[in-house]
Structures are given as structure tokens and as C-alpha cells.
Amino acid sequence: MLVLYQFERTWGNPNLSHFCCKIETYLRMAGIEYTIKTTLPLLAPKGKLPYIEDGDLKLADSRFIIQHLKTHYKNLDQHLNPAESALALAMQRLIEEHLFWATMYSRWQYTDANWQINKRAIFGVLPPVIRDIAAIIYRYKINKQIYGHGTGRHTAEEIFELGMLDIDALSACLGDKKYFLGNQPVSLDATAFGFLINTLGCPIESPLKEYSLSKDNLRKYVNRIKAEYYPDLQ
Ligand SMILES: N[C@@H](CCC(=O)N[C@@H](CS)C(=O)NCC(=O)O)C(=O)O
């Protein structure tokens, strides 16, 4: 059976990792059987989670994993026309390559309270001394990534202002539809859910979380998908 390697569940959510939650949600939306093994990124083939094992295949990166699931199991996007597919791809890129960094900033840099919550959730599985050393090394590494992306060069106000524009776009695109592209879930919904629950539905406080919670449709969308696909986490 397919094995999904990801962080341990925490915060009552599928996963604290946006990308891990994206994959598990796709698996559930597509009705694909899987088991979970919890791990940390340093043990992953590309140093990042999630990755999967499927028979002899070990595959990292959520985009390649989704491609594999579409080809070998079920393609949730099969019915989309080229314009819908293009829109879905653009929204996924907005979520994964832009909004993501504002949430990373919230967790790793914005306030010490957030950092403590994030640190406990990620490194709490390790023995005490190793936990603190790993947290210091990873914090340094992730903060370099946030700076390298460009997000880390802005003020907090600027970072959240940019993130809020993403939230506006997502809210407008969803409108009053059940899913982003109609009445049935597509891969964009797995992505959107994974990232939105990690923005508005986790204990990391920020103006971005508050703003996202103020969008009725996004809040209800996250609650609806969690209730429908994760009844075990209610
Ligand atoms: N492009 C990758 C991104 C995965 C990713 O950034 N994973 C994070 C957790 S949310 C990670 O493992 N980071 C560890 C690191 O960067 O060292 C994907 O789509 O899977």
C-alpha cells in the first residue's frame, strides 16, 4: 500500500505542513488507500516533506506526487477544460509560492509566542537536548529560506499586506461555490485546504490569520472540507 511520510499530526489538524496536508487531502478526496509514517524532513529524499513510497518507488515533492497519483490512481482534474486547468495551476502557484511564505514568516519569525508553538509542534517528538539543537539549526535554515525568497526582506506589515491580497484572490475565486471549480473537488482544493487550514485554522496568531477568518466563504470551506474528509479528526 502507498505510504505517505509526513510530520506527526498536531493542533487537531491533518498536518502542520501545508504540503503534507495537500497530499493527504488529495488521497482522501480521490479515495486512494494509504498508510502514514511520521518522520522529519532531514530523513526525506530531498530534505523536505512530504514524500511517498509506492512499491519500489520513493517520490518527493507534492507536485510530482500528485502527478503520480493522477497517472496511477485517480485524476481529480480529468474533467477540467484547458482554461480551468490553467486557472487551477495559477492559483496553486499563488498559494504554494507566495501565500506560503507569509505563513512561514508568521511561524518562524513574527512573534516569539508563535515560534514556541511551532517549535513544540515540529521538534517535540525529539529527545530534549537534540530537540533544542535541531530547533536552533532549523530556525536558522528556514529564516535563510524566507530571506532568500524575498519575503524576509519586508516589514511585518508589508508581508501581511501581500498575504492578504492572496486571501482576497482566493476568496473571490471561490465565491459561493462548494469547491474552487464547481461541485466536485479538484487538486486545487487539496492544495487550498492544506494551506488555508494552516493559515486560519491553526494556533499561529497574526493579522493574516485574522483577515482570513474574516472571509466567511474561506472559513466555511475549510470547516466543510475538514468535516467531510477528516471525520476522524472532529
Ligand atoms: N515543493 C515542495 C515543498 C515542500 C516543503 O517545503 N516542505 C516543508 C514542510 S511544509 C519542509 O519539509 N521543509 C524543510 C526544509 O525546508 O528544510 C513540495 O511541493 O512538496
Side-chain angles (χ1 to χ4, degrees):
M1 190 188 299
L2 189 149
V3 185
L4 168 62
Y5 287 83
Q6 61 178 0
F7 294 93
E8 195 167 44
R9 285 209 205 291
T10 187
W11 302 335
N13 285 343
N15 213 268
L16 63 84
S17 156
H18 321 56
F19 293 97
C20 295
C21 186
K22 164 188 171 182
I23 293 302
E24 189 171 7
T25 304
Y26 188 97
L27 290 165
R28 289 190 177 210
M29 285 175 165
I32 300 166
E33 281 190 38
Y34 65 97
T35 54
I36 290 174
K37 286 195 181 161
T38 57
T39 185
L40 288 172
L42 70 161
L43 302 172
K46 291 185 180 173
K48 284 180 186 271
L49 294 175
Y51 74 96
I52 60 161
E53 266 175 13
D54 194 8
D56 291 338
L57 178 75
K58 202 181 250 194
L59 193 60
D61 196 291
S62 67
R63 292 161 295 186
F64 295 125
I65 297 170
I66 295 273
Q67 213 43 53
H68 176 79
L69 299 177
K70 284 181 175 180
T71 310
H72 297 277
Y73 292 88
K74 186 168 177 185
N75 183 357
L76 291 178
D77 299 340
Q78 202 156 25
H79 61 288
L80 300 180
N81 67 38
E84 288 171 329
S85 296
L87 175 68
L89 183 69
M91 293 311 279
Q92 286 188 47
R93 297 290 192 256
L94 171 142
I95 294 169
E96 295 182 10
E97 309 296 340
H98 194 263
L99 176 63
F100 174 66
W101 292 102
T103 66
M104 290 295 274
Y105 170 79
S106 312
R107 291 177 182 199
W108 295 81
Q109 283 182 30
Y110 180 51
T111 62
D112 187 58
N114 283 356
W115 161 240
Q116 294 304 331
I117 292 167
N118 186 43
K119 180 177 155 184
R120 243 190 331 273
I122 297 177
F123 303 101
V125 290
L126 298 171
V129 181
I130 298 175
R131 176 193 310 161
D132 291 337
I133 296 168
I136 290 167
I137 295 171
Y138 255 86
R139 194 179 194 198
Y140 175 75
K141 192 176 148 192
I142 299 289
N143 285 345
K144 260 179 80 176
Q145 289 178 9
I146 297 170
Y147 188 80
H149 172 262
T151 292
R153 294 155 206 246
H154 305 312
T155 63
E157 290 70 28
E158 288 170 334
I159 292 168
F160 293 132
E161 186 186 330
L162 292 173
M164 286 176 200
L165 290 173
D166 297 339
I167 294 299
D168 283 339
L170 287 169
S171 178
C173 185
L174 178 63
D176 57 8
K177 298 190 294 301
K178 186 169 181 202
Y179 295 106
F180 270 88
L181 290 165
N183 276 326
Q184 61 186 96
V186 296
S187 63
L188 170 59
D189 293 292
T191 305
F193 173 72
F195 283 67
L196 285 170
I197 197 167
N198 275 298
T199 306
L200 61 77
C202 67
I204 299 293
E205 304 306 325
S206 75
L208 184 66
K209 174 179 175 178
E210 289 313 308
Y211 191 71
S212 308
L213 282 169
S214 77
K215 300 286 182 184
D216 242 36
N217 64 343
L218 295 183
R219 206 182 57 246
K220 288 179 181 157
Y221 171 83
V222 168
N223 291 339
R224 200 166 57 235
I225 292 185
K226 189 175 180 196
E228 186 166 350
Y229 292 101
Y230 292 93
D232 45 327
L233 294 186
Q234 299 306 307

